[in-house]
Amino acid sequence: MSNIANETVKKTKRTAAKPTARRTVSKAKTATGHKAAPHKLKLLITVVPRRKTEYFMDLIQAFDVNMQFCCTANGTASSDIMALMGLEDSEKRVIFSVVREDMAPRVLLALEEKFATIKNAKGIAMTVPLSGMIGVAIYQFLSNNRKGGKQHEI
């Protein structure tokens, strides 16, 4: 009877030692063969003068940005402070754009260059990380990822 007990103990040890199969999410493979994680997204907030809005929206769109929203804003500086700083008007536009995390530094660098070189085009730009997204199709649209999964026309 001890032989039978020993054999069953050995069998359970063998089956317990085997690693259990884990389900993994299928992701695109990189050139080295490793699976790549999807790009994270950031919300780019840009405050620009009202007259330069279209220019900056076109500039941002050149960095694979599929969604932008623009709204009107006003500066809070008094006329004395504006005259002291050389600012002309307080009418501003705020551009909200969703950009991939890997493209964010390039967009910010391009915006910084344009703020410094274009006359009357001073502005502010910053990014805020997005922590979650509902739906693969929405993520693919916002990240400009048309290669993964089925093609969706929006």
Side-chain angles (χ1 to χ4, degrees):
M1 185 108 126
S2 64
N3 288 340
I4 295 173
N6 285 340
E7 284 183 33
T8 53
V9 169
K10 286 180 184 178
K11 285 182 183 178
T12 56
K13 284 183 181 178
R14 280 188 232 142
T15 57
K18 291 181 182 177
T20 58
R22 297 171 78 189
R23 287 186 171 185
T24 58
V25 177
S26 176
K27 297 177 184 168
K29 290 188 177 183
T30 60
T32 60
H34 293 92
K35 292 183 180 178
H39 295 286
K40 293 182 180 181
L41 299 175
K42 289 189 171 191
L43 179 66
L44 173 67
I45 303 168
T46 312
V47 181
V48 296
R50 181 183 56 83
R51 294 182 180 156
K52 302 290 184 181
T53 305
E54 291 297 322
Y55 174 79
F56 283 107
M57 288 184 80
D58 290 341
L59 176 69
I60 294 168
Q61 188 175 0
F63 290 93
D64 291 337
V65 173
N66 281 342
M67 191 200 81
Q68 296 188 72
F69 173 76
C70 179
C71 62
T72 305
N74 281 317
T76 58
S78 66
S79 58
D80 296 337
I81 299 293
M82 289 180 61
L84 180 68
M85 297 181 83
L87 301 173
E88 294 177 5
D89 63 1
S90 64
E91 286 190 41
K92 305 288 183 198
R93 295 283 173 117
V94 181
I95 304 169
F96 297 95
S97 312
V98 178
V99 63
R100 285 192 340 235
E101 185 178 44
D102 62 328
M103 296 296 279
R106 292 184 222 165
V107 175
L108 290 172
L109 187 62
L111 287 170
E112 183 180 359
E113 178 185 327
K114 298 301 179 186
F115 291 154
T117 58
I118 297 175
K119 185 178 180 183
N120 297 327
K122 303 292 184 211
I124 300 171
M126 66 179 170
T127 59
V128 179
L130 297 176
S131 61
M133 179 74 47
I134 296 176
V136 175
I138 293 172
Y139 169 78
Q140 287 177 343
F141 172 72
L142 293 176
S143 66
N144 201 19
N145 180 9
R146 300 179 194 272
K147 298 171 189 164
K150 295 181 180 178
Q151 297 283 335
H152 295 285
E153 290 189 25
I154 299 177

